[in-house]
Amino acid sequence: MRSLASLPPDRFVAAFFASFTEEVVHGDQPPEEAMRRYYTPDIIQLSDGVPLDWERLVAHVRPVRRNLVEARYEVHEAMADGQRIAARLTIHARMRKRDVATQVHLFAEFTPEGLMRRSVQLTRALPDEPPAEEDQLESHDRAASYADNPPYADNPRGADEALEAGDPTGAGERGDTGDEGSQRCRTEGSR
């Protein structure tokens, strides 16, 4: 992986996630081997309040490998200060069963070699198209339910189980979309 200083912040973020996806999610080798090129062994990633260490990140990759067909990383803005970066991006993912889009607010620290050491990610699922009225009511009921009982409060494995339903954080073959802050990944045979 390139160092943060080698690219503008938006290009670094897009390249980091696109190449991570290509090598780790859809690569031929075990995910642990490829992950060593992207994360420090003591990585801590806090994603929507759920802490993921090395072992949990490895477990996170397995269902993504099974379900992700294609992903595009659209970086809207990014700022760097030394080895730290803050970015706002959208992950557009085509899963085996449906398309998903997720807005991500990322705050991360990298080593001088470009390995992620720490990150905090706040995410929000984006609707593909405006929901029907009954879907809006169901969504409102679900949001009220989450406020009273957060989905992962009693089940730290809940985040991992959610991956089976279509987490958009991985992909395959990298390709340029023509947008400087965007990278596309595609698995073999998905064209």
Side-chain angles (χ1 to χ4, degrees):
M1 186 66 216
R2 293 181 175 175
S3 72
L4 179 56
S6 67
L7 291 170
D10 60 332
R11 298 280 296 167
F12 177 83
V13 170
F16 181 89
F17 285 112
S19 62
F20 171 85
T21 298
E22 182 178 338
E23 287 188 47
V24 177
V25 177
H26 292 294
D28 294 333
Q29 56 189 280
E32 299 88 344
E33 289 179 33
M35 282 178 57
R36 287 186 185 98
R37 289 189 291 278
Y38 294 89
Y39 293 120
T40 62
D42 62 343
I43 179 72
I44 296 295
Q45 180 174 308
L46 187 63
S47 185
D48 296 326
V50 178
L52 302 171
D53 61 8
W54 179 270
E55 295 303 317
R56 290 197 69 190
L57 283 168
V58 170
H60 170 85
V61 168
R62 290 187 179 105
V64 173
R65 277 186 162 192
R66 286 192 301 271
N67 292 303
L68 186 72
V69 175
E70 176 182 62
R72 180 171 55 89
Y73 302 91
E74 181 181 4
V75 180
H76 305 291
E77 58 186 330
M79 296 179 242
D81 179 19
Q83 299 303 314
R84 297 179 303 163
I85 197 160
R88 186 174 58 84
L89 63 140
T90 302
I91 302 170
H92 303 274
R94 194 168 104 221
M95 309 305 286
R96 285 186 307 141
K97 297 182 180 180
R98 64 188 178 105
D99 292 350
V100 294
T102 304
Q103 183 180 58
V104 179
H105 294 252
L106 168 73
F107 303 90
E109 178 186 349
F110 291 85
T111 66
E113 301 77 30
L115 301 177
M116 186 181 287
R117 175 179 290 138
R118 303 270 181 271
S119 84
V120 174
Q121 297 180 16
L122 304 172
T123 68
R124 178 174 71 98
L126 300 174
D128 290 332
E129 49 185 272
E133 185 175 324
E134 52 282 353
D135 291 338
Q136 288 176 350
L137 292 173
E138 180 183 319
S139 176
H140 179 326
D141 292 343
R142 190 169 45 248
S145 170
Y146 287 174
D148 295 333
N149 184 20
Y152 307 131
D154 297 326
N155 180 6
R157 297 253 333 128
D160 297 330
E161 292 164 5
L163 297 174
E164 294 290 340
D167 185 290
T169 57
E173 182 183 328
R174 185 172 138 192
D176 194 348
T177 64
D179 179 0
E180 286 190 359
S182 181
Q183 294 287 331
R184 180 181 299 276
C185 300
R186 184 185 306 262
T187 61
E188 292 300 315
S190 65
R191 296 189 164 108

